[in-house]
Amino acid sequence: GTRVARNWRLASARHRRARSKERERQREREREREVKRMHRSCGRLSGVSSSAGVCAAAARRGLPASRRRGGLAQQQHNASVPAPRRVRPRASTEGSSSVLDNLDNLALVKKVALSGKVFQQISAREMFEALIAINQIKSKKPENLSKVLAGNEAGEGGSYWKLVYTVGKKNLNEATSKGTGSVGGNGGNFFPVTAVQNWNEETNRIQNGIFILGVFSLIFSGDFELVDKSAILYFDFDRLDISLGPLSFGFDLPANEERVGKKRPFFIWLHADEDIAIGRGRGGGIAVWKKVDKSYREDEGVYV
């Protein structure tokens, strides 16, 4: 009976070792497939072979930490791809490369904000880290804010800005005080629905709308005040309009006597140009918008 028990234990141990080796081989195959998938995705997005740095960063993000540490395929991949390099912020973004690792922080934010959804998703972490760096720079206030944000040169009722990306107050404060490594995940989020703001310098009116599939819209509107010297835009809403297909209705919102002067909601603008705008809100977070034109609005059913 003792010999039978010993043989059974030995057989069980051999079986466990065999299963462990098979699981390791399976993990190795999964790692290789993941790395190949990331390479194919990045190749399609950039269209150039020099996207290796982006692919390496995306591949590392796509694999859990326990799977990144081992594996011959991953070690060979890391050895063949240079580590991502972040250039320090510069005043100008001219002549920027198409590879994120070769862009300064502002150019990186602009490239990702103006890109398609697939590229945005694999670049979410880089977007977060670049915004943290921009937020910490004591730079000169944006110039000609009124024209850039609310200009009505095309006679289209001002300028229109689509909300692209947000970082909440908690992650922004933690990354600022302890470094971006203290914040897990992507750090921020690409806004999941179509949200477009409209500022018109001729009327000093703001519209903030949510639009879904061209059939539903919810639009808040009110007055705004832009203080160019401090790059602060104060606003408050006094009306709400709702549309669902052919049906629409609206009503005036009650005045809030406590929300006057500097107690109103506001944005502090860190950057604004003809393509993107970056601002901090009263709630303590930071957001990125991209400018949209008439053709976009007609396609998406936004303010039409």
Side-chain angles (χ1 to χ4, degrees):
T2 303
R3 181 179 299 175
V4 171
R6 184 173 64 250
N7 291 339
W8 182 85
R9 287 196 298 271
L10 291 173
S12 297
R14 285 195 297 270
H15 179 67
R16 286 195 297 271
R17 286 196 296 270
R19 290 183 60 186
S20 177
K21 290 180 180 180
E22 178 59 29
R23 286 196 296 268
E24 180 60 31
R25 285 193 293 269
Q26 180 65 25
R27 286 194 292 267
E28 183 68 25
R29 289 192 292 269
E30 290 176 0
R31 280 195 292 268
E32 292 175 357
R33 286 196 295 267
E34 187 72 15
V35 170
K36 290 178 181 178
R37 186 184 68 80
M38 288 295 180
H39 272 300
R40 288 196 299 269
S41 298
C42 291
R44 287 195 300 269
L45 290 167
S46 64
V48 294
S49 60
S50 60
S51 61
V54 182
C55 290
R60 285 193 296 272
R61 284 197 308 278
L63 297 175
S66 61
R67 293 166 60 190
R68 287 201 305 263
R69 286 192 288 269
L72 177 59
Q74 185 66 26
Q75 293 171 5
Q76 292 173 342
H77 172 74
N78 291 341
S80 64
V81 176
R85 179 175 61 89
R86 176 66 51 78
V87 180
R88 300 302 301 171
R90 300 189 300 268
S92 173
T93 61
E94 295 180 359
S96 299
S97 168
S98 63
V99 181
L100 294 186
D101 297 328
N102 293 331
L103 300 180
D104 66 29
N105 291 308
L106 180 56
L108 186 152
V109 171
K110 179 177 290 192
K111 177 175 177 59
V112 176
L114 300 178
S115 298
K117 291 183 179 179
V118 176
F119 187 81
Q120 287 179 347
Q121 293 306 317
I122 69 169
S123 308
R125 182 68 188 188
E126 283 86 348
M127 185 81 149
F128 167 71
E129 294 177 356
L131 285 172
I132 297 303
I134 291 172
N135 184 56
Q136 293 175 312
I137 297 173
K138 302 297 182 182
S139 58
K140 190 168 98 172
K141 298 298 181 184
E143 297 180 351
N144 301 318
L145 265 177
S146 181
K147 290 291 184 185
V148 172
L149 291 175
N152 192 32
E153 296 179 359
E156 297 179 3
S159 298
Y160 298 83
W161 298 85
K162 182 182 185 295
L163 181 60
V164 176
Y165 187 86
T166 61
V167 178
K169 176 181 179 180
K170 179 180 178 182
N171 284 356
L172 180 62
N173 290 345
E174 187 168 347
T176 301
S177 60
K178 301 178 182 179
T180 56
S182 64
V183 178
N186 289 332
N189 299 286
F190 288 97
F191 206 68
V193 299
T194 301
V196 179
Q197 294 189 354
N198 162 235
W199 293 291
N200 188 336
E201 67 172 350
E202 293 184 357
T203 61
N204 282 345
R205 294 286 289 180
I206 175 179
Q207 296 185 95
N208 187 11
I210 298 291
F211 303 86
I212 299 177
L213 300 177
V215 296
F216 173 80
S217 66
L218 185 149
I219 303 174
F220 289 91
S221 57
D223 296 325
F224 75 85
E225 176 190 1
L226 180 59
V227 183
D228 279 302
K229 183 177 181 180
S230 54
I232 299 179
L233 186 147
Y234 295 98
F235 65 94
D236 202 3
F237 299 121
D238 54 32
R239 184 171 176 80
L240 173 61
D241 291 281
I242 301 173
S243 294
L244 178 59
L247 304 176
S248 61
F249 65 94
F251 53 88
D252 294 334
L253 301 175
N256 188 335
E257 297 180 356
E258 296 181 357
R259 290 167 55 149
V260 296
K262 294 184 178 181
K263 294 183 180 180
R264 291 171 292 176
F266 60 80
F267 294 116
I268 301 175
W269 298 103
L270 307 179
H271 174 81
D273 59 31
E274 292 300 323
D275 296 314
I276 66 167
I278 306 171
R280 286 197 309 269
R282 181 181 179 182
I286 192 170
V288 180
W289 294 260
K290 70 175 182 179
K291 199 170 190 176
V292 295
D293 57 17
K294 185 177 180 179
S295 62
Y296 170 87
R297 292 188 286 113
E298 290 177 344
D299 291 342
E300 298 295 328
V302 173
Y303 298 115
V304 293

